[in-house]
Amino acid sequence: RHLEWAASSGEPWTASSGLTAFGREVVRAMESLGVIVDVSHVHASTFWDGARIARKPFIASHSCAAALCPVARNLTDDQIKAVAASGGMVAVNFFPGFLDPDYFAGDASALEKLFADLERIEVEYADDPARKIAEFHRSGKATRENRGPAKADLDLLVAHIRHIVDLVGDDHVGLGSDFDGMFEVPRDVPDCSAYPRILARLADMGLSEHSVRKIAWGNFLRVFRA
């Protein structure tokens, strides 16, 4: 969601995009309090402002690789490298729209339209949680009906993980899922019961047991401790 002091990934770039002076104070205060800075959902300008300020590891808690799926919510290779340089990590999102570049059938504005509708619902039904959830489901159902069944699968999910490993190493990637925030999942990843198969696929690709453990939980624990 867009804030006056921090532009979100759904916002068009303007001269005032990124973090305002107050936004920079927020980042510094978070770090002083031991709160982890999370750059998922932020505009690229906000990302780089935050990266310049951060003195502790920061994370993208549910984002994918833009090299494989170039949408505004995903991170470029340079952004992934910046997260890694801080000692942080990127936890891969399972939403098909962030995994599969064909998800929105070539409609570059479809993701922005979806986010705009979700933002409207968030504001309009802020005082009615039950109605808000119902409206979220309605919006998601309409998107699915307009676009058709998702083609993203476990292999594509693992490809995003492997891309990050190949780019910055196994210390800087994890599983972000976003099961509580998405209306559709990869066709063979219905819920958290798929985690063992995801980890097994990574092992089949040649990652060591130590690497798989870091991806499963070790990297998150390291960042929390830092």
Side-chain angles (χ1 to χ4, degrees):
R1 180 176 179 181
H2 180 65
L3 301 174
E4 291 182 359
W5 50 270
S8 75
S9 60
E11 294 295 311
W13 187 89
T14 67
S16 61
S17 291
L19 289 172
T20 65
F22 176 71
R24 294 190 289 274
E25 290 182 22
V26 170
V27 171
R28 295 187 183 102
M30 290 173 68
E31 290 196 328
S32 71
L33 293 169
V35 178
I36 295 172
V37 174
D38 184 358
V39 296
S40 285
H41 283 279
V42 304
H43 192 279
S45 58
T46 305
F47 175 98
W48 289 114
D49 283 350
R52 282 188 288 269
I53 296 167
R55 296 294 178 266
K56 294 182 179 181
F58 63 93
I59 70 171
S61 64
H62 54 306
S63 296
C64 298
L68 302 185
C69 183
V71 297
R73 271 284 280 105
N74 288 342
L75 300 181
T76 66
D77 284 357
D78 284 343
Q79 288 176 310
I80 294 170
K81 290 176 182 178
V83 173
S86 80
M89 60 177 289
V90 177
V92 171
N93 196 314
F94 294 8
F95 177 51
F98 302 155
L99 295 170
D100 180 8
D102 296 326
Y103 181 84
F104 287 107
D107 182 355
S109 65
L111 184 60
E112 286 73 18
K113 292 175 182 175
L114 172 61
F115 282 172
D117 191 38
L118 297 180
E119 170 72 3
R120 177 192 61 77
I121 293 168
E122 182 76 32
V123 173
E124 188 172 342
Y125 301 105
D127 297 325
D128 189 349
R131 180 66 183 278
K132 181 168 66 175
I133 291 173
E135 287 296 311
F136 279 153
H137 285 300
R138 177 204 56 74
S139 182
K141 181 179 180 181
T143 299
R144 291 195 304 272
E145 290 176 348
N146 289 337
R147 189 204 37 75
K151 297 178 182 178
D153 58 12
L154 186 149
D155 287 337
L156 186 54
L157 167 60
V158 169
H160 279 261
I161 298 171
R162 188 59 199 246
H163 176 82
I164 297 170
V165 171
D166 291 343
L167 185 67
V168 295
D170 61 8
D171 286 322
H172 306 290
V173 63
L175 305 177
S177 74
D178 201 20
F179 283 133
D180 67 326
M182 59 185 177
F183 55 81
E184 190 167 18
V185 294
R187 51 195 174 91
D188 52 355
V189 184
D191 49 42
C192 59
S193 67
Y195 273 48
R197 289 190 292 111
I198 295 170
L199 301 178
R201 189 67 53 84
L202 291 169
D204 290 343
M205 296 173 69
L207 293 181
S208 69
E209 181 178 353
H210 182 58
S211 292
V212 172
R213 285 178 178 270
K214 286 194 286 187
I215 293 168
W217 55 269
N219 290 334
F220 268 118
L221 188 58
R222 174 184 57 77
V223 171
F224 291 160
R225 286 172 171 163

